[in-house]
Structure formats: C-alpha cells, structure tokens
C-alpha cells in the first residue's frame, strides 16, 4: 500500500523529467566540426579533439577533419591533442552548431630523438643515447679488435694504427696524452704489462661496459690531465638476471657468475690465461721462451637502494708472468758520457725480458637522482701495479699507486638547463729501481674543481660552457682551463658542432722520475664538425686545429730513438717545446641499405709537427701516419645464425730516425696494411646460449714495419751494418674460442 | 510545489550526471578498442579512453586503461619516435594510476613491463640492456604480489616469442608461458573480476592468438 502511494507520487515527476530530458537533448545537441592542421598547414590524422572537461569529442580523419556532437553550450574550450604534436586549444562559444574550426598544433614535440646533441670531437658508444653511432656490441663484433675496447677505438677517426706500442695515439698526440677513465675515475695502468716493443691488450673487456665514449678533443671540463683526449668507460648497472658464463679460448679459460636479488647483485669471476696455444699458431717475430701466463679474479657488488640510486663496488686482481727475447732498444747507449742512464750498456743485441706483474684495482661509486631535479655522484678508487721485471741480467722493479676521489652534483633547473659542479683529488706515485741500486720516484697530488653549464635554449641549439681549475702539488702550479662546445641543428637530420678549450698535462713520467720539475704542458683545441644522420645512416666530417705550447724540451741532449730511454736529473729541460696538429676526418656508417649488413668507413688525414723532448728540430713524430683508413663490415646470416665481420686497415708510412740522413726524421716506412676476419656462430644448447668464434688477424701475413733500428759502435757512432726493421710481435694470428652463458636457471619462473 | 519538485529533480539529475558511474562507458570504449584491428579505429577509441581518464581523474583504472591503449597503439605503429611518444603518454597515465593507488599492484607492474618492452621494440640493439632489466624486474614484482596473474605470463611469452631462437627464444620456448597463462585465464573467468571492468582481466584473446601462432610450427 505504502509502495503504491510512493509510486503514484513519483510517477508524474519521473514522467515530467523524462520529457524534460528528451526536450533538453533535442534542443541542445550541437554539431561541432572543423580541421586540425600542423604548423605547415598539413592535416593531422588521429588527433583527439574534445571540449575540455567533457567526454564530448572526436578523432580526425586522414583529411584532418573532426566531427562530434555535444550538449554543452556557452563558453567552452576546444582542445586538439595528438601524440607527436603539442596540445593546443581554442576558446569557443557554443550557441548553435559550430563548423569550420581550425586548430593548429605544433609538430615539434621535443623528443630525445630530435634534440640536438653536441658531437664535436666525440664518439659515443652507448645504450641509452639515441643519437650514438656506436654500440658496445659493435666493439665485440669488430674484426681485428679481439673484443678489446681500445683496439676497437683504433677503427675510428682521429687515431693511429699501433703494432709495437701500447695506447691510443690521438690527433698528433702520443699515448700519454690520452686519459682512460672507468666510471669517471682515471685508470693508471690501462694495459697489461709487457716487454718494450710488444703491444699488449688493454685490461678492458667489452662486456663489462654499457657505454664507451671516445673524445678525440674538446672534451668536458669534468676531466683534465690529457692534452689530446679521453676514453670514458661506464660499467654496467644492475644486471637483468642471474647468469653463469663460461668460456675457453686460445688464451685461456674463464668463468663468471652473477647472482641477482631484487635490488642488488653480486658478480664473481675468475680466469686462467695461458697464451701458449695462441703464440704457437701465430707467426711470431720474437722468441716467447715463456709465453704469458696469468690469473685474474674479480668481484663486484651492485645495489639499487631505490629507483634513482645506484651503488657499485668492485675489486679486481691479476697476476701475469712472461718471458720473451726482444731486440735490445738500448743498443745505441754505449756511451758513459751520455746524459742517459747507462745501466744497460754492454748488454747483447737480443735480450731476455721477464715480466712479473701484480695489479689490483678497486672502485666504489654511488649515484643518486633526487626528484628528477638534482643528481649526486661520488666515487673513490685505488690501484696498485707492482712489476718485477728482468731486462737481461738487470732487475727492474716498479710500483705505481693511484688513489682518486671525486664528488659532483648536477642541478636540472629545467629539462633544457642544467649545471654541473664538482671536484676531485688525485694522489699518485711511481717508484722504480734498477738493480736495486739506481732509484727514481715521484709523488703527485692534484686538486681540481670544475663547473659546466648545459643549455638548450631551443631544440636546435645546445651550448655547453665549462671551466676547470687544476692545482699540482708536485709542480706547485695552478691552471685555469676554460672549455666550450655547442651544436646547431641545420636541418631535420643534420647539425654542426663546435668545440674549443684549453688542456693541461703534467710532464711525462720520464722527467718526473728523474726529479725534474718543469711546468705544465698545454694544448688548445679548435674543432668543427658536420653530421648527417638519417635512418641508420651517418655521415660525419670533422676538421680540427690543435696548438701545443709549453711542451717539455731537453736542451743538452742528442737524439736517442729509444722510446724506453731513461734520463738523469742533470738533463736540462724547460717548457719551450711547441707544435701543432691539423687534420680532416671522415666517418660514414650505413646499417640501412642492405638488410643485416652494417659497415663503416673511417678516414683521417693529419698534418702535425712538434719540437719536444729530445727533438733537435721541429718534425713529425714517429707514431704519425698522415693517412689512416679503416673499413669495417659486419654481416649477419639469419639462416646460419652466423655473423661475419671483416676489417681492413691502412696507414701510410711513418717517419723513422735515420742517423745517416741529415734531415731529422726524414725517412718513412712502407705503408701499413691489415686485413682481419671474425666469424661468430650463435647456437642455443637447451638453455645454454653459445657463441663459437674464430678470428684471423693479418690474413695476408703482411710484414708491416713500424720503423728501423741502426747499430752503433762503442763510441755511439752508427755502424755500416744494415738497418733492422721494427716489427710487431705477431704477423698472422688465429684466435678460436667458445663462450657459453646460462641465463634462465630459475626453476620457479613458470 | 511542482516547480520545486522539478527543480529538485533537475538538481539531482545534474549531481547524478557528475557522479555517473564510469564503468559502462569505460567498458564500452575498452571493448571497442580491444576488439578491432583497425589502427584508426583503435586511435579513436584510445582518444576516448584518454577523455574518460581525464573526466574520472580519481579512478586509477581509467588511467590504467588509457595507458594500456597507448601501449597497444605502438604494436601497429612503424615510426620509432611516434612509438616513443605513445609510450611517453602511457608512462604518464600509468604514473597517475599509481599515484591514485599510492602503491603499485600486480597490474600496474605488468603495464610497466609492457612499456619497457615497447621501448626495446623501438631500438632493440640500443635498449635491451636498460629496458630488459626493467621488463624482468617489473614482472618479478608483479609475481611477488600475485603469482596467478595471467597477463604476466602472457607478456613473458610474447617476449620469448619474439626473441630469436639463437638467443633462447622462439615458438617452442614461448609456448609454456602461453599455456600457463591460458590456465590462469580460465581460472580468472570464474571470478567476479570477469564481469567487472574495474578489475583488469583482458588478455585471453591475445593469448589465444599466440597459442595459435605457436601451434602453426608443427605444420612446418
């Protein structure tokens, strides 16, 4: 009964309401239509057009036309949004149907893919940056590099081919002018110890790094003490999964394991190296009576306490032992009146060289980003390299130590403006003794502070000015090094980059060990490049001019071609040396034209001269080839799951010292040629992902010559005996190995 | 008096319209999105899902579906920067959903993994390392919350499916994941979630599609 009344009471109301509603809709359904165009007037398809704060809206068709109906009226705002455009709106007044609305939306939404990136003087091999032309994987798959990061960099513009010396020779600079950094910390002994005249591998395997950045000049104010460039390696973050990795190759055995927890991971690895099979199969030029044998162990812990923070601690230890009979580089030093050390006088022309090296490296770093606004990075490292070598009968002991601490903060004011401020302290020492009788040592402490501003006022312009202050306790000198680099986008796919700056570096170990304390050496860089990147094709042309000032010059020396010479404190030196380097470089890479084919061409031309060290006159140094060319190609055959990679390298002749030629360094060696091939076959054995690889270096068994040596008599006068060529330790060599990794061994994944 | 009632009724209607249940319109739009293969139709429905998320700004699930639709739009999109732009939008919507929830649930983790997977798809060589760990990390977190989430296994299966055989992927390796997901989808169908758009339960259709693809191998 009650319900009945209730119903009766409400029925007319609901009825009325129904009429009212229908009437309202009938009256208020307005048609809204128009078009959405971009800033060039082209129609935009798929744009969402709607009245703000309502569900009333439509999507544009291929002509950019939208239509929808609404019951809203009065003052409204109509908004158009599309994923690759900026959202834009217009106020409209709805009193009836509205048609012909034109909404204009900007097509230049800033994506990292479109933003200009400063590239002058630098090559990045990184996983996060989209503009990089090189990936870490590229390093492993480059034939002739043997998975050595530094060797792979020699396939890039601005570097010289090496065969008998360690290090990267960048744009007229010698090996000491490049600084190698791991997680922003300097690595003191980046290469395995070896005898003079034999190039050894760098200590860096490609898989430990997620990014490699090579700068052949104009680098950031964050770094100093390198006249030519820096090679930055960034270690990997928290691994993906727990893994086990095993391998065997002609250089030894290795095993490593990664245990991953939710927010942390522990890596343990070890290896036993024995190069007997490698040297056994190669065409060797020296007698390895005791081929290199060694052990290596490493431990690493990574912890991610939160989404934006990461702590890394690593420790590494290794031991190497080798014995080789090498041509004595000191044969020219027979003269007791020479300012050089004469401890090696009287040794035979070929001497046995024994290397025993212990190396320890440890690094801890912590990085934290706070609310996407401020980032803090701090790191500490320590390394100790202790070698007990024997040169014939003369024992040579050396101990190198380095400790470094760095702290820096970066404030991201906006996504277009950030400021870096940091400081570092480095303390390092080298002590050396010969036959326990003759000792040399030095200890240096350096302090540095730096700041760098990164500003992208508009998408097409980026500018990065920086300033670095350095203090050397050993030399008691202070220096200020300003740096600047910038980039301007010249079209959708091309850009121009410029860089310049002042770079300082301590005198070479040779002088510091002798107790000499001249001032800092200096270089000024001017770099300009043009880069075109589209669809996995990159073309880059770079030119530079580099001026050297205050290089170390010896005043009372006669030229000694021995690169391993030792001098005494009585040598008169100052900072009056000078020089220049200028050149043009070309890089072209194409991953697009042929499917699965990736190739690049790198060509460098350089003109450089300097008067430094014991040069009697300005000349092109012996490590410079005016023309360097590398052709790298990689092709993956899907059907065979096999990757083929070939590299051809060419360098024109290098100057060498001929004591009979009145023109200093006036002779040149024959050209350098090298062809290398790597084949890698991928296969999964159950859950074991396996890679078999075979590399052949110098396939044609080319007898490359890096210089010549002359014979001298007891008075230091050159004899008429024929000159002998300076050759690498190996000509053609083979490398075979297999790597197995097990990623998925968690039983509970399913 | 009648006027008063009328006014009151009108006021009520307005209030009601404001507080109107989002579920029917969300369900209708999502179904329209999920059952079409036509990219333009998908864009249109995804645009609507964005408007729904804007209107019912305090419901995590409206943002969840908007995010899902942006991810799904990348599957047929060829242009890399555009894919990234969709994923940027998905990231924003997912963030909104998580902000409302105050804490991630298994479904938001699965979506996070899907975004990471989409990022890898734009530039696999360059991105697998960074986003691969986000992908597996998010799925692991989802599993810790709810080991019976079928979408988690579906996503793992899809990732395996598209991994080259030489790297331990392929149809055979992916199948167990789809089968596991299939069993869990069957289980889910019997829960109240199956009839409630506010509890995500999508994925069966996609899973069936992949099971079909995996079975094709037998004929080869």
């Amino acid at each position: 009964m009650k319900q009945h009344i209730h119903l009766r009471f409400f029925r007319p109301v609901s009825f009325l309401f129904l009429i009212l509603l229908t009437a309202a809709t009938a009256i208020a359904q307005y048609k809204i239509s128009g078009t959405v165009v971009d800033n060039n007037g082209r129609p935009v398809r798929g744009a969402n057009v709607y009245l703000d704060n309502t569900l009333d809206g439509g999507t544009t068709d291929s002509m950019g036309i939208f239509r929808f109906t609404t019951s809203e009226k009065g003052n409204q705002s109509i908004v158009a949004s599309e994923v690759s455009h900026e959202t834009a709106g217009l106020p409209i007044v709805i009193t009836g149907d509205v048609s012909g609305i034109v909404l204009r939306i900007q097509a230049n939404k800033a994506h990292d893919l479109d933003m200009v990136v400063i590239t002058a003087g630098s090559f990045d091999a990184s996983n996060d940056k989209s503009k990089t032309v090189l990936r870490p994987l590229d390093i492993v798959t480059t034939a002739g590099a043997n998975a050595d990061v530094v060797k792979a960099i020699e396939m890039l513009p601005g570097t010289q081919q090496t065969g008998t010396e360690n290090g990267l020779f960048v744009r007229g600079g010698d090996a000491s002018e490049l600084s190698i950094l791991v997680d922003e910390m300097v690595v003191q002994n980046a290469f395995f110890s070896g005898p003079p005249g034999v190039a050894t591998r760098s200590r860096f395997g490609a898989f430990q790094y997620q990014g490699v950045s090579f700068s052949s000049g104009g680098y950031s104010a964050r770094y100093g003490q390198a006249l030519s460039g820096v090679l930055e390696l960034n270690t990997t973050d928290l691994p993906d999964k727990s893994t086990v990795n095993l391998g065997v190759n002609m250089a030894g055995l290795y095993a490593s394991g990664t245990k991953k927890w939710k927010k942390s991971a522990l890596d343990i690895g070890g290896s036993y190296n024995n190069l007997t099979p490698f040297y056994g199969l190669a065409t060797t030029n020296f007698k390895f009576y005791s081929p290199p044998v060694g052990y290596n162990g490493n431990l690493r812990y990574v912890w991610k306490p939160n989404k934006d923070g990461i702590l890394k601690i690593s420790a590494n230890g290794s031991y190497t032992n080798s014995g080789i009979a090498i041509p004595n580089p000191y044969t020219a030093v027979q003269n007791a009146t020479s300012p050089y050390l004469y401890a090696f006088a009287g040794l035979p022309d070929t001497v046995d060289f024994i290397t025993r090296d212990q190396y320890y490296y440890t690094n801890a770093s912590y990085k934290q980003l706070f609310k996407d606004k401020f980032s803090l990075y701090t790191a500490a490292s320590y390394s100790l390299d202790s070698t007990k070598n024997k040169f014939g009968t003369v024992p040579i002991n050396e101990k190198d130590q380095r400790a470094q601490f760095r702290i820096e903060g970066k404030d991201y004011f906006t996504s277009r403006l950030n400021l870096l401020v940091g400081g570092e302290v480095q303390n390092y020492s080298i002590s050396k003794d010969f036959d326990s009788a003759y000792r040399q040592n030095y200890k240096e402490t350096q302090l540095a502070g730096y700041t760098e501003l990164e500003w992208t006022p508009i998408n097409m312009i980026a500018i990065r000015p920086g300033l670095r202050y350095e203090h050397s306790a050993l030399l008691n000198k202070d220096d200020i090094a300003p740096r600047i680099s910038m980039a301007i986008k010249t079209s959708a796919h091309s850009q121009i980059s410029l860089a310049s700056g002042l770079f300082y570096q301590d005198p070479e170990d040779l002088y510091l060990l002798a107790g000499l304390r001249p001032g800092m050496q200096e270089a000024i860089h001017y770099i300009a490049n043009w880069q075109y990147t589209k669809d996995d094709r990159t073309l880059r042309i770079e030119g530079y001019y580099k001026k050297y000032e205050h290089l170390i010059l010896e005043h009372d020396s006669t030229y000694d071609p021995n690169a391993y010479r030792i001098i005494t404190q009585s040598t008169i030196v100052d900072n009056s040396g000078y020089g220049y380097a200028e050149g043009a470089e070309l890089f072209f890479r194409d991953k697009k034209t042929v499917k699965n084919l990736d190739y690049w061409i790198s060509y460098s031309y350089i003109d450089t001269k300097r008067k430094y060290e014991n040069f009697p006159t300005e000349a092109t140094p012996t490590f410079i080839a005016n023309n360097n060319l590398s052709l790298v190609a990689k092709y993956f055959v899907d059907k065979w799951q096999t990757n083929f990679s070939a590299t051809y390298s060419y360098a024109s002749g290098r100057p060498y010292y001929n004591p009979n030629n009145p023109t200093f360094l006036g002779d040149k060696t024959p050209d350098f040629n090298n062809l290398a091939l790597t084949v890698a076959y991928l296969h999964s054995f159950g859950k074991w992902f396996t890679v078999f690889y075979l590399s052949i270096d110098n396939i044609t068994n080319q007898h490359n010559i890096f210089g010549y040596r002359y014979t001298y008599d007891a008075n230091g006068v050159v004899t008429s005996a024929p000159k002998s060529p300076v050759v690498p330790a190996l000509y053609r060599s083979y490398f075979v190995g297999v790597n197995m990794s097990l990623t998925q061994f968690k039983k509970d994944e399913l | 008096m009648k006027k008063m009632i009328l006014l009151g009724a009108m006021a009520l209607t307005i209030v009601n319209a404001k507080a109107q249940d989002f579920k029917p319109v969300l369900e209708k739009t999502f179904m329209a999105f999920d059952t079409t293969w036509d990219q333009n139709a998908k864009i249109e429905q995804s645009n609507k899902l964005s408007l729904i998320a804007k209107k019912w700004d305090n419901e995590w699930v409206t943002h969840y579906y908007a995010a899902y639709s942006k991810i799904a739009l990348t599957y047929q999109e060829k242009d890399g920067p555009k894919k990234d732009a969709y994923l940027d939008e998905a990231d924003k919507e997912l963030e909104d959903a998580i902000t409302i929830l105050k804490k991630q649930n298994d479904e938001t983790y699965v979506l996070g993994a899907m975004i990471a997977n989409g990022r890898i798809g734009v530039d696999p060589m360059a991105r697998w390392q960074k986003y691969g760990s986000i992908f597996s990390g998010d799925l692991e977190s989802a599993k810790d919350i709810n080991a019976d989430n079928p979408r988690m296994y579906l996503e793992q299966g899809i990732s395996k499916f598209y991994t080259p055989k030489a790297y331990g992927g392929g149809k055979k390796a992916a199948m167990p994941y789809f089968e596991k997901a299939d069993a869990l989808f069957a289980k889910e169908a019997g829960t109240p979630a199956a009839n409630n758009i506010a509890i995500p339960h999508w994925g069966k259709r996609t899973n069936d599609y992949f099971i079909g693809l995996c079975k094709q191998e037998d004929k080869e």
Side-chain angles (χ1 to χ4, degrees):
Chain A
M1 194 61 192
K2 222 178 180 179
Q3 207 178 7
H4 187 71
I5 298 165
H6 193 84
L7 263 175
R8 205 199 285 164
F9 179 76
F10 269 101
R11 200 175 277 155
V13 178
S14 350
F15 181 67
L16 243 171
F17 173 55
L18 214 81
I19 295 170
L20 202 102
L21 247 183
T22 330
T25 8
I27 299 160
Q29 278 291 13
Y30 302 119
K31 286 187 192 128
I32 312 291
S33 66
T35 50
V36 177
V37 292
D38 66 12
N39 34 355
N40 293 321
R42 284 178 304 221
V44 177
R45 182 184 198 152
N48 195 9
V49 185
Y50 55 91
L51 295 180
D52 208 11
N53 298 318
T54 74
L55 283 184
D56 302 335
T59 297
T60 56
D61 62 15
S62 59
M63 303 297 293
I65 296 167
F66 65 87
R67 287 185 190 87
F68 63 90
T69 56
T70 184
S71 51
E72 306 289 337
K73 58 180 185 178
N75 290 322
Q76 295 290 335
S77 83
I78 186 163
V79 179
S81 79
E82 204 278 335
V83 68
S84 28
H85 294 78
E86 307 269 8
T87 299
L90 269 183
I92 58 167
V93 183
I94 304 175
T95 50
D97 290 353
V98 187
S99 62
I101 300 169
V102 178
L103 284 153
R104 204 171 282 272
I105 53 181
Q106 298 258 343
N108 63 345
K109 213 171 196 177
H111 282 295
D112 59 337
L113 293 166
D114 299 328
M115 282 253 240
V116 70
V117 177
I118 299 170
T119 59
S122 74
F123 269 91
D124 275 321
S126 141
N127 279 317
D128 342 293
K129 291 181 205 141
S130 48
K131 275 261 164 62
T132 56
V133 294
L134 265 191
R135 306 287 181 207
L137 199 63
D138 292 332
I139 288 161
V140 199
T141 53
T142 299
N146 290 327
D148 180 346
V149 175
V150 177
K151 200 75 194 160
I153 298 295
E154 284 181 14
M155 317 294 175
L156 292 179
T159 58
Q160 293 285 334
Q161 292 295 329
T162 55
T164 59
E165 292 157 283
N166 283 337
L168 269 175
F169 294 76
V170 176
R171 288 185 175 168
D174 65 29
S176 75
E177 295 178 24
L178 179 107
S179 182
I180 299 182
L181 305 132
V182 170
D183 290 338
E184 302 189 11
M185 304 304 260
V186 177
V187 180
Q188 190 165 18
N189 301 82
F191 294 84
F192 284 106
S193 294
V198 178
T200 57
R201 281 180 72 89
S202 76
R203 297 183 192 267
F204 314 110
F207 287 112
Q208 296 155 269
Y209 305 98
Q210 60 182 356
V212 178
S213 175
F214 169 55
S215 167
S216 50
Y219 60 86
S220 155
R222 184 180 267 142
Y223 306 119
Q225 290 298 312
L227 290 179
S228 285
V230 291
L231 178 65
E232 277 180 81
L233 306 168
N234 295 309
T235 57
T236 50
D237 289 342
L238 193 65
D240 203 354
K241 283 174 177 164
S242 294
T243 51
V244 172
N245 196 58
L246 305 170
V248 57
N249 57 39
M250 283 169 62
L253 313 160
Y254 57 89
S256 66
T258 298
K259 172 69 186 157
K260 191 191 171 214
W261 294 277
K262 200 146 191 166
K263 285 181 170 168
S264 61
L266 186 70
D267 295 337
I268 300 177
S271 68
Y272 165 72
N273 311 309
N274 187 331
L275 280 105
T276 310
F278 178 64
Y279 286 125
L281 259 183
T283 321
T284 56
N285 295 314
F286 304 135
K287 197 174 150 241
F288 284 88
Y289 61 86
S290 166
V293 173
Y295 311 90
N296 179 61
N298 62 284
L299 200 66
R300 191 171 92 111
Y301 177 70
V302 183
W303 179 45
K304 249 181 113 56
N306 54 58
K307 191 164 101 347
D308 298 317
I310 190 158
L311 171 80
K312 299 177 187 179
I313 300 170
S314 70
N316 191 312
S318 67
Y319 172 75
T320 331
N321 184 3
S322 76
I324 178 178
I326 53 159
N328 183 0
Y330 297 95
T331 46
V333 191
Q334 303 281 335
N335 189 342
T337 60
S338 145
Y340 309 131
L341 185 79
Y342 51 92
F344 306 117
L347 288 175
D349 201 38
T350 301
V351 287
D352 288 350
F353 191 93
I354 296 166
T355 307
R356 275 187 299 264
D357 177 42
Q358 277 175 284
Y359 178 78
Y360 303 97
Y361 179 77
T362 171
N363 186 327
S365 71
Y366 182 68
K367 190 172 194 168
Q368 179 73 55
L369 181 67
F370 300 94
K371 296 185 186 320
D372 291 335
K373 275 276 156 215
F374 182 77
S375 80
L376 182 76
Y377 179 75
T378 176
S381 71
Y382 174 75
S383 74
L384 169 68
D385 189 21
S386 167
T387 53
K388 287 186 165 49
N389 296 341
K390 212 164 178 187
F391 188 85
T393 52
V394 184
I396 307 172
N397 300 313
E398 183 172 337
K399 200 168 167 185
D400 299 6
Q401 286 186 85
R402 177 180 287 258
Q404 187 177 1
F405 174 75
R406 180 189 294 275
I407 183 160
E408 63 180 37
K410 200 173 198 174
D411 200 329
Y412 297 84
F413 299 109
T414 72
S415 62
R416 293 176 178 281
L417 181 71
N418 65 66
L419 181 72
L420 172 80
V421 177
E424 62 175 329
V425 190
Q426 295 187 64
N427 179 289
Y428 55 94
S429 65
I430 298 180
S431 70
K432 223 170 175 176
D433 74 72
F434 304 88
D435 215 358
S436 308
Y438 188 83
R439 289 173 200 279
Q440 292 190 321
N441 65 72
Y442 79 88
K443 196 178 269 180
E444 162 75 303
T445 303
Q446 282 178 340
L447 282 168
Y450 52 90
T451 178
E452 194 171 70
L453 187 78
E454 249 182 298
W455 187 36
T456 312
I458 50 174
N459 273 354
M460 54 176 291
I461 294 177
I463 181 160
R464 191 169 58 207
L467 198 65
R468 181 178 173 90
Y469 160 79
E470 285 174 8
H471 171 77
S472 158
L474 184 70
L475 307 177
N476 195 18
K477 292 260 159 59
D478 299 88
D479 279 303
I480 302 259
R483 318 262 169 94
I484 188 160
S485 56
M486 62 189 297
I488 305 150
K489 212 162 170 163
T490 45
S491 76
H493 303 287
S494 66
Q495 63 169 62
I496 291 171
S497 290
L498 304 165
S500 182
L502 238 62
F503 303 85
Y504 294 98
Q505 188 177 325
D506 268 17
E508 274 220 72
D509 292 345
L510 175 73
Y511 302 103
L512 298 180
L513 279 170
L516 302 165
R517 301 287 179 262
M520 288 271 183
Q521 309 177 89
E522 186 185 320
I524 310 160
H525 300 180
Y526 303 95
I527 302 165
N529 87 13
W530 177 79
Q531 180 167 319
Y532 180 88
T533 313
K534 195 191 175 196
D535 298 335
D536 275 339
R537 282 195 197 103
T538 304
L539 174 64
R540 205 176 131 119
I541 297 166
E542 185 159 304
Y544 64 90
Y545 177 75
K546 183 168 157 189
K547 194 172 174 199
Y548 285 101
E549 280 175 351
H550 310 303
L551 296 179
I552 308 302
L553 192 67
E554 299 165 33
H555 283 283
D556 54 356
S557 308
T558 48
Y559 183 73
D560 174 5
N562 174 17
Y564 305 91
R565 70 205 170 92
I566 297 147
I567 61 167
T568 62
Q569 198 166 6
S570 62
T571 312
I572 298 166
V573 298
D574 63 16
N575 282 84
S576 63
Y578 56 89
Y580 73 91
E582 58 193 7
E585 295 164 358
L586 176 117
F587 180 82
F588 175 70
R589 183 169 191 188
D590 177 3
K591 291 193 265 187
K592 173 95 179 162
T593 310
V594 179
K595 193 183 172 243
N596 288 349
L597 174 72
D598 168 13
Y599 66 92
W600 80 71
I601 299 165
S602 157
Y603 170 74
S604 318
Y605 170 77
I606 180 169
D607 167 28
T608 181
K609 276 192 174 140
R610 52 168 70 187
K611 186 175 180 190
Y612 83 137
E613 300 194 339
N614 56 356
F615 278 31
T617 169
E618 195 180 10
T620 303
T622 56
F623 48 82
I624 297 294
N626 296 119
N627 298 282
N628 274 276
L629 174 76
S630 287
L631 304 175
V632 177
K634 301 162 188 192
Y635 185 64
F636 189 76
V637 183
D638 284 321
K639 215 166 77 187
W640 300 344
Q641 296 179 1
T642 304
N643 190 67
F644 295 90
S645 166
T647 299
Y648 169 69
S649 308
Y650 164 85
S652 56
R654 303 157 34 130
Y656 69 88
Y657 177 65
N658 176 357
N660 301 316
N661 187 342
T663 310
F664 177 62
L665 296 177
D667 295 73
K668 278 191 179 175
T669 64
D671 294 351
F672 168 93
N673 286 284
N674 191 62
L675 183 64
L677 180 76
T678 300
V679 181
Y681 169 67
L682 319 176
H683 190 82
S684 279
F685 292 102
K687 288 180 174 173
W688 288 91
F689 173 58
T690 313
V691 183
F692 297 90
Y693 51 92
L694 160 74
S695 317
I696 311 169
D697 194 34
N698 193 358
I699 295 174
T700 56
N701 206 25
Q702 196 78 32
H703 289 205
N704 289 315
I705 292 167
F706 291 86
Y708 291 94
R709 296 168 61 245
Y710 289 81
T711 317
Y712 298 80
D713 66 16
N715 299 316
V717 177
V718 66
T719 67
S720 58
K723 61 184 178 182
S724 52
V726 175
V727 294
L730 309 169
Y731 288 142
R732 179 164 54 221
S733 65
Y734 304 87
F735 201 71
V736 182
V738 55
N739 184 76
M740 296 181 81
S741 56
L742 178 71
T743 326
Q744 188 198 56
F745 62 107
K746 263 194 303 178
K747 275 186 234 121
D748 61 339
E749 196 172 85
L750 269 172
Chain B
M1 179 65 191
K2 254 184 188 170
K3 242 183 189 171
M4 284 280 280
I5 294 168
L6 213 87
L7 268 172
M10 271 181 76
L12 254 173
T13 339
I14 292 159
V15 170
N16 202 23
K18 280 273 177 204
Q20 193 188 80
D21 191 15
F22 63 93
K23 287 180 191 170
V25 62
L26 178 63
E27 177 146 32
K28 194 179 143 225
T29 315
F30 177 70
M31 288 309 280
F33 177 84
D34 215 31
T35 50
T36 178
W37 288 106
D38 178 53
Q39 182 75 352
N40 292 322
K42 269 194 181 296
I43 291 171
E44 191 170 350
Q45 298 309 321
S46 172
N47 282 343
K48 274 193 190 158
L49 287 169
S50 302
L51 293 186
I52 293 168
K54 250 186 118 173
K55 178 158 178 176
W56 286 283
D57 194 31
N58 294 323
E59 299 289 343
W60 78 275
V61 80
T62 60
H63 295 286
Y64 171 88
Y65 283 107
Y68 169 84
S69 75
K70 302 301 170 202
I71 299 164
L73 283 181
T74 64
Y75 299 155
Q76 290 186 61
E77 179 54 58
K78 294 238 156 52
D79 182 41
K82 201 161 179 183
K83 278 188 190 212
D84 267 338
Y86 279 131
L87 295 169
D88 289 347
E89 291 196 344
D91 262 333
K92 257 183 250 149
E93 295 286 1
L94 181 61
E95 247 170 60
D96 288 346
I98 295 166
T99 311
I100 296 160
L101 283 170
K102 294 198 176 73
K103 202 178 149 192
Q104 295 236 57
N105 62 26
D106 52 328
E107 302 295 354
T108 59
Y109 274 123
V110 170
L111 228 50
M114 289 170 72
I115 293 172
N117 210 19
R119 298 277 186 202
I120 296 172
V122 177
D123 193 350
M125 286 284 272
R127 292 185 178 177
W128 64 269
Q129 215 168 8
K130 180 177 175 188
Y131 290 102
S133 74
I134 298 176
F135 176 76
S136 53
D138 276 358
L139 288 181
E140 252 171 60
S141 306
K143 194 173 180 174
D144 289 345
I145 297 170
N146 174 14
D148 282 347
N149 187 323
R151 284 161 290 285
M152 192 169 73
Y153 298 99
L154 168 63
E155 288 312 311
Q156 263 174 325
I158 295 173
S159 161
K160 275 266 176 289
F161 185 88
Y162 288 112
T163 303
K165 227 171 157 181
Y167 297 92
K171 291 176 176 177
K172 222 171 134 185
M175 192 59 169
Y177 293 93
F178 296 129
E179 280 169 344
K180 172 100 184 181
D182 190 54
L184 292 170
F185 276 122
K187 205 170 145 190
E188 194 175 69
T191 65
N195 299 311
N196 187 355
I197 190 75
I199 305 171
H201 58 270
W202 57 270
K204 168 116 179 87
R205 249 189 311 277
T206 316
N207 199 55
D208 289 348
Y209 168 77
F210 276 103
I211 287 177
L213 287 182
C214 287
K215 281 183 177 159
Q216 276 172 22
E217 193 188 32
D218 304 335
K219 293 174 202 157
E220 278 165 20

